[in-house]
Protein backbone atom coordinates (compact mmCIF):
# COMPACT_ATOMS: atom_id res chain seq x y z
CA UNK A 1 0.00 0.00 0.00
CA UNK A 2 1.30 3.41 -0.91
CA UNK A 3 2.11 5.69 1.99
CA UNK A 4 -0.64 8.19 2.64
CA UNK A 5 0.53 11.63 3.59
CA UNK A 6 -1.45 13.95 5.84
CA UNK A 7 -2.21 17.16 4.02
CA UNK A 8 -1.54 20.06 6.38
CA UNK A 9 -4.16 22.76 6.59
CA UNK A 10 -6.87 20.56 5.08
CA UNK A 11 -10.32 22.04 5.47
CA UNK A 12 -12.34 19.86 7.83
CA UNK A 13 -15.19 22.27 8.56
CA UNK A 14 -18.49 20.59 9.37
CA UNK A 15 -20.83 20.67 6.39
CA UNK A 16 -23.73 20.31 8.82
CA UNK A 17 -26.87 18.45 7.82
CA UNK A 18 -27.27 17.37 4.23
CA UNK A 19 -30.64 17.78 2.56
CA UNK A 20 -31.82 14.55 1.00
CA UNK A 21 -35.06 13.92 -0.85
CA UNK A 22 -37.38 11.00 -0.13
CA UNK A 23 -38.01 9.25 -3.47
CA UNK A 24 -41.52 8.51 -4.68
CA UNK A 25 -40.66 4.82 -5.02
CA UNK A 26 -38.17 2.42 -3.41
CA UNK A 27 -35.83 0.28 -5.54
CA UNK A 28 -37.47 -3.14 -5.78
CA UNK A 29 -34.43 -5.25 -6.69
CA UNK A 30 -32.92 -4.77 -3.24
CA UNK A 31 -36.29 -5.55 -1.62
CA UNK A 32 -36.66 -8.78 -3.58
CA UNK A 33 -33.16 -9.87 -2.55
CA UNK A 34 -33.85 -9.09 1.13
CA UNK A 35 -37.02 -11.19 1.00
CA UNK A 36 -35.32 -14.14 -0.67
CA UNK A 37 -36.80 -13.81 -4.16
CA UNK A 38 -33.45 -13.13 -5.78
CA UNK A 39 -33.91 -12.38 -9.46
CA UNK A 40 -37.34 -14.04 -9.54
CA UNK A 41 -40.45 -11.89 -9.68
CA UNK A 42 -42.57 -12.25 -6.53
CA UNK A 43 -46.10 -13.66 -6.76
CA UNK A 44 -49.10 -11.32 -6.91
CA UNK A 45 -49.81 -11.45 -3.16
CA UNK A 46 -46.17 -10.68 -2.32
CA UNK A 47 -46.09 -7.81 -4.81
CA UNK A 48 -49.16 -6.28 -3.16
CA UNK A 49 -47.58 -6.73 0.28
CA UNK A 50 -44.39 -5.04 -0.91
CA UNK A 51 -46.39 -2.20 -2.45
CA UNK A 52 -48.30 -1.40 0.73
CA UNK A 53 -45.18 -1.85 2.88
CA UNK A 54 -43.26 0.57 0.65
CA UNK A 55 -46.01 3.14 1.00
CA UNK A 56 -45.89 2.84 4.81
CA UNK A 57 -42.11 3.18 4.93
CA UNK A 58 -42.09 6.19 2.60
CA UNK A 59 -44.81 7.88 4.64
CA UNK A 60 -42.89 7.51 7.92
CA UNK A 61 -39.33 8.11 6.70
CA UNK A 62 -37.63 11.11 8.28
CA UNK A 63 -34.11 10.88 6.85
CA UNK A 64 -31.17 12.97 8.00
CA UNK A 65 -27.52 12.81 7.05
CA UNK A 66 -24.26 14.40 8.07
CA UNK A 67 -20.80 14.18 6.54
CA UNK A 68 -17.38 15.70 6.95
CA UNK A 69 -14.10 15.63 5.08
CA UNK A 70 -10.97 14.53 6.95
CA UNK A 71 -7.29 13.94 6.22
CA UNK A 72 -5.94 10.40 6.20
CA UNK A 73 -2.56 9.35 7.55
CA UNK A 74 -0.43 6.31 8.37
CA UNK A 75 1.46 5.73 11.61
CA UNK A 76 5.23 5.63 11.28
CA UNK A 77 5.75 2.47 13.35
CA UNK A 78 3.12 -0.04 12.20
CA UNK A 79 1.85 1.82 9.14
CA UNK A 80 -1.71 1.73 10.48
CA UNK A 81 -4.29 3.86 8.72
CA UNK A 82 -5.93 6.65 10.71
CA UNK A 83 -8.37 9.52 10.26
CA UNK A 84 -7.37 13.01 11.42
CA UNK A 85 -5.05 11.74 14.21
CA UNK A 86 -3.62 8.47 15.50
CA UNK A 87 -6.43 8.06 18.04
CA UNK A 88 -8.76 7.20 15.15
CA UNK A 89 -7.18 4.09 13.63
CA UNK A 90 -9.02 2.04 11.02
CA UNK A 91 -8.23 -1.62 11.62
CA UNK A 92 -7.99 -4.27 8.94
CA UNK A 93 -6.39 -4.89 5.56
CA UNK A 94 -9.62 -4.45 3.59
CA UNK A 95 -10.09 -0.78 4.47
CA UNK A 96 -6.38 -0.08 3.92
CA UNK A 97 -6.64 -1.53 0.42
CA UNK A 98 -9.89 0.32 -0.22
CA UNK A 99 -8.34 3.70 0.68
CA UNK A 100 -4.95 3.07 -0.94
CA UNK A 101 -3.74 6.20 -2.72
CA UNK A 102 -6.14 8.50 -0.86
CA UNK A 103 -4.93 11.31 1.39
CA UNK A 104 -8.42 12.49 2.28
CA UNK A 105 -11.72 10.81 3.05
CA UNK A 106 -15.37 11.56 3.74
CA UNK A 107 -17.16 10.13 6.76
CA UNK A 108 -20.93 10.00 6.33
CA UNK A 109 -23.85 8.93 8.49
CA UNK A 110 -27.45 8.53 7.36
CA UNK A 111 -30.53 7.57 9.37
CA UNK A 112 -34.19 6.95 8.57
CA UNK A 113 -35.33 8.04 12.02
CA UNK A 114 -36.98 6.15 14.88
CA UNK A 115 -40.52 5.93 13.47
CA UNK A 116 -39.55 3.31 10.89
CA UNK A 117 -37.93 1.12 13.56
CA UNK A 118 -41.02 1.44 15.77
CA UNK A 119 -43.33 0.45 12.91
CA UNK A 120 -41.31 -2.70 12.18
CA UNK A 121 -41.20 -3.71 15.85
CA UNK A 122 -44.96 -3.22 16.30
CA UNK A 123 -45.74 -5.19 13.14
CA UNK A 124 -43.53 -8.11 14.22
CA UNK A 125 -46.02 -8.79 17.03
CA UNK A 126 -49.09 -9.01 14.80
CA UNK A 127 -47.98 -9.82 11.24
CA UNK A 128 -44.50 -11.24 10.69
CA UNK A 129 -44.83 -11.45 6.90
CA UNK A 130 -45.63 -7.73 6.73
CA UNK A 131 -42.81 -6.99 9.17
CA UNK A 132 -40.35 -8.76 6.85
CA UNK A 133 -41.60 -6.71 3.91
CA UNK A 134 -41.36 -3.47 5.92
CA UNK A 135 -37.81 -4.33 6.98
CA UNK A 136 -36.80 -5.07 3.38
CA UNK A 137 -38.38 -1.84 2.11
CA UNK A 138 -36.65 0.20 4.81
CA UNK A 139 -33.29 -1.44 4.04
CA UNK A 140 -33.69 -0.66 0.35
CA UNK A 141 -34.73 2.93 1.03
CA UNK A 142 -31.71 3.68 3.24
CA UNK A 143 -29.48 2.38 0.42
CA UNK A 144 -31.35 4.57 -2.08
CA UNK A 145 -30.69 7.58 0.17
CA UNK A 146 -27.00 6.68 0.49
CA UNK A 147 -26.80 6.44 -3.31
CA UNK A 148 -28.37 9.88 -3.54
CA UNK A 149 -25.67 11.28 -1.25
CA UNK A 150 -22.98 9.41 -3.19
CA UNK A 151 -24.15 11.04 -6.41
CA UNK A 152 -24.19 14.54 -4.89
CA UNK A 153 -20.70 14.09 -3.45
CA UNK A 154 -19.35 12.64 -6.70
CA UNK A 155 -20.62 15.64 -8.64
CA UNK A 156 -19.20 18.04 -6.07
CA UNK A 157 -15.73 16.49 -6.07
CA UNK A 158 -15.65 16.16 -9.86
CA UNK A 159 -15.58 19.96 -9.94
CA UNK A 160 -12.37 19.77 -7.87
CA UNK A 161 -10.87 17.20 -10.27
CA UNK A 162 -11.11 14.50 -7.63
CA UNK A 163 -12.62 11.02 -7.72
CA UNK A 164 -14.35 9.12 -4.93
CA UNK A 165 -14.11 5.48 -3.98
CA UNK A 166 -17.24 3.50 -3.21
CA UNK A 167 -18.48 3.64 0.38
CA UNK A 168 -17.15 1.21 2.97
CA UNK A 169 -18.93 0.62 6.28
CA UNK A 170 -17.92 -0.80 9.67
CA UNK A 171 -18.59 -4.53 9.54
CA UNK A 172 -17.45 -4.87 5.91
CA UNK A 173 -14.43 -7.10 5.38
CA UNK A 174 -12.25 -7.02 8.50
CA UNK A 175 -13.15 -3.46 9.52
CA UNK A 176 -14.72 -4.07 12.96
CA UNK A 177 -17.98 -2.59 14.17
CA UNK A 178 -15.99 -0.84 16.90
CA UNK A 179 -15.04 1.66 14.16
CA UNK A 180 -18.49 3.14 14.81
CA UNK A 181 -16.83 4.94 17.73
CA UNK A 182 -14.77 6.98 15.26
CA UNK A 183 -17.85 7.99 13.28
CA UNK A 184 -19.76 8.85 16.44
CA UNK A 185 -16.98 11.09 17.73
CA UNK A 186 -15.89 12.83 14.53
CA UNK A 187 -19.36 13.35 13.08
CA UNK A 188 -21.09 14.09 16.40
CA UNK A 189 -23.83 11.78 15.15
CA UNK A 190 -26.04 11.89 18.22
CA UNK A 191 -25.99 15.68 18.37
CA UNK A 192 -26.39 16.21 14.63
CA UNK A 193 -28.89 13.53 13.57
CA UNK A 194 -29.85 11.59 16.71
CA UNK A 195 -27.85 8.51 15.70
CA UNK A 196 -26.33 6.39 18.49
CA UNK A 197 -25.04 2.85 18.96
CA UNK A 198 -25.63 0.07 21.48
CA UNK A 199 -23.07 -1.92 23.49
CA UNK A 200 -22.45 -4.16 20.46
CA UNK A 201 -21.85 -1.11 18.22
CA UNK A 202 -25.05 -1.63 16.25
CA UNK A 203 -26.64 1.63 15.12
CA UNK A 204 -29.80 3.05 16.70
CA UNK A 205 -32.12 3.72 14.88
CA UNK A 206 -31.44 0.39 13.21
CA UNK A 207 -32.19 1.64 9.70
CA UNK A 208 -29.06 3.78 9.53
CA UNK A 209 -25.74 3.63 7.70
CA UNK A 210 -22.24 4.93 8.39
CA UNK A 211 -19.54 4.77 5.73
CA UNK A 212 -16.14 6.09 4.73
CA UNK A 213 -15.43 7.21 1.16
CA UNK A 214 -11.90 7.81 -0.09
CA UNK A 215 -10.94 10.91 -2.10
CA UNK A 216 -8.37 10.60 -4.88
CA UNK A 217 -6.90 13.21 -7.21
CA UNK A 218 -7.26 12.30 -10.87
CA UNK A 219 -4.82 13.45 -13.55
CA UNK A 220 -7.07 12.89 -16.51
CA UNK A 221 -10.44 13.92 -15.18
CA UNK A 222 -13.43 12.53 -17.04
CA UNK A 223 -17.08 12.86 -16.18
CA UNK A 224 -18.05 9.79 -14.16
CA UNK A 225 -20.32 7.23 -15.74
CA UNK A 226 -23.16 5.44 -14.01
CA UNK A 227 -21.74 2.33 -12.42
CA UNK A 228 -23.33 -1.06 -13.03
CA UNK A 229 -24.53 -3.25 -10.18
CA UNK A 230 -21.62 -5.65 -10.71
CA UNK A 231 -19.12 -2.78 -10.50
CA UNK A 232 -20.68 -1.68 -7.22
CA UNK A 233 -20.30 -5.04 -5.42
CA UNK A 234 -16.89 -4.13 -4.01
CA UNK A 235 -17.93 -4.87 -0.43
CA UNK A 236 -18.63 -8.52 -1.29
CA UNK A 237 -15.08 -9.05 -2.52
CA UNK A 238 -13.55 -8.33 0.89
CA UNK A 239 -16.34 -9.54 3.20
CA UNK A 240 -15.46 -12.37 5.60
CA UNK A 241 -18.79 -14.15 5.05
CA UNK A 242 -19.10 -13.69 1.30
CA UNK A 243 -19.14 -17.47 0.67
CA UNK A 244 -21.94 -18.19 3.16
CA UNK A 245 -23.99 -14.97 2.98
CA UNK A 246 -27.62 -15.90 2.23
CA UNK A 247 -28.36 -12.30 1.22
CA UNK A 248 -25.69 -12.50 -1.46
CA UNK A 249 -26.96 -15.91 -2.59
CA UNK A 250 -30.36 -14.30 -3.26
CA UNK A 251 -28.80 -11.58 -5.41
CA UNK A 252 -28.38 -8.87 -2.79
CA UNK A 253 -25.32 -7.00 -1.59
CA UNK A 254 -24.46 -4.40 1.03
CA UNK A 255 -24.00 -0.88 -0.31
CA UNK A 256 -25.03 -0.15 -3.87
CA UNK A 257 -22.13 2.22 -4.52
Amino acid sequence: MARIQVKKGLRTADRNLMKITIPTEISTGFIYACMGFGKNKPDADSLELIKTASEQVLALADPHAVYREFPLGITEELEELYILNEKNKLEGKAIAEHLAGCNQCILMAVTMGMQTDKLIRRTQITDMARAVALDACASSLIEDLCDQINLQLTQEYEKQNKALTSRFSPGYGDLPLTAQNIFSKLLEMEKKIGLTQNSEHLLIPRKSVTAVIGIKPVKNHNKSKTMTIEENREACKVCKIKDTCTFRQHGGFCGKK
Side-chain angles (χ1 to χ4, degrees):
M1 176 179 173
R3 179 170 295 279
I4 299 173
Q5 301 295 333
V6 177
K7 185 177 179 181
K8 294 183 179 180
L10 178 68
R11 175 173 56 84
T12 59
D14 196 338
R15 295 165 186 256
N16 210 341
L17 299 182
M18 177 179 241
K19 183 178 180 181
I20 48 181
T21 304
I22 300 175
T24 56
E25 295 181 351
I26 304 174
S27 299
T28 55
F30 198 86
I31 297 172
Y32 297 166
C34 287
M35 295 180 69
F37 291 107
K39 297 180 180 179
N40 299 317
K41 185 177 181 179
D43 57 84
D45 289 341
S46 296
L47 285 173
E48 181 60 26
L49 180 61
I50 291 169
K51 178 179 179 294
T52 56
S54 295
E55 291 171 349
Q56 284 183 279
V57 169
L58 287 169
L60 282 179
D62 183 26
H64 289 85
V66 63
Y67 74 98
R68 288 183 67 184
E69 180 185 294
F70 294 96
L72 283 169
I74 290 183
T75 60
E76 290 295 334
E77 299 81 9
L78 301 176
E79 294 196 344
E80 295 174 310
L81 190 67
Y82 64 82
I83 299 174
L84 188 61
N85 61 56
E86 295 187 18
K87 295 180 180 179
N88 306 310
K89 294 177 183 177
L90 294 175
E91 300 176 18
K93 294 181 179 179
I95 188 63
E97 292 175 358
H98 186 76
L99 297 176
C102 301
N103 58 14
Q104 301 161 264
C105 71
I106 298 166
L107 295 188
M108 61 179 275
V110 191
T111 183
M112 291 265 288
M114 285 301 301
Q115 293 306 312
T116 304
D117 279 19
K118 290 178 180 178
L119 173 63
I120 294 171
R121 288 198 301 268
R122 288 197 306 267
T123 308
Q124 286 172 338
I125 300 172
T126 59
D127 190 341
M128 185 52 71
R130 178 167 292 278
V132 170
L134 288 168
D135 190 277
C137 291
S139 294
S140 186
L141 179 55
I142 192 71
E143 291 296 333
D144 285 343
L145 296 174
C146 287
D147 286 351
Q148 185 182 140
I149 294 171
N150 261 120
L151 178 59
Q152 291 183 44
L153 291 173
T154 297
Q155 292 172 342
E156 178 181 340
Y157 279 88
E158 277 183 342
K159 297 174 183 176
Q160 303 175 40
N161 204 37
K162 295 178 181 178
L164 302 184
T165 68
S166 58
R167 58 181 182 264
F168 200 106
S169 296
Y172 285 6
D174 53 359
L175 178 63
L177 285 174
T178 52
Q180 300 288 21
N181 292 331
I182 297 174
F183 287 82
S184 181
K185 177 175 63 174
L186 295 182
L187 290 179
E188 300 179 284
M189 298 190 314
E190 183 173 8
K191 175 183 176 182
K192 297 292 183 182
I193 58 174
L195 182 55
T196 61
Q197 57 179 310
N198 64 17
S199 59
E200 296 178 337
H201 305 288
L202 298 176
L203 296 173
I204 304 172
R206 194 165 62 88
K207 294 305 174 183
S208 305
V209 169
T210 58
V212 58
I213 301 171
I215 304 171
K216 294 183 177 182
V218 285
K219 294 181 179 178
N220 299 312
H221 183 59
N222 295 312
K223 188 174 182 180
S224 61
K225 65 182 181 66
T226 301
M227 297 178 71
T228 66
I229 288 177
E230 290 301 323
E231 289 173 324
N232 283 328
R233 293 179 186 262
E234 292 188 22
C236 292
K237 298 177 184 178
V238 297
C239 185
K240 292 182 289 186
I241 63 168
K242 64 180 180 180
D243 296 326
T244 58
C245 176
T246 55
F247 185 48
R248 187 168 181 251
Q249 291 169 5
H250 287 300
F253 59 98
C254 300
K256 296 184 191 175
K257 285 189 175 62

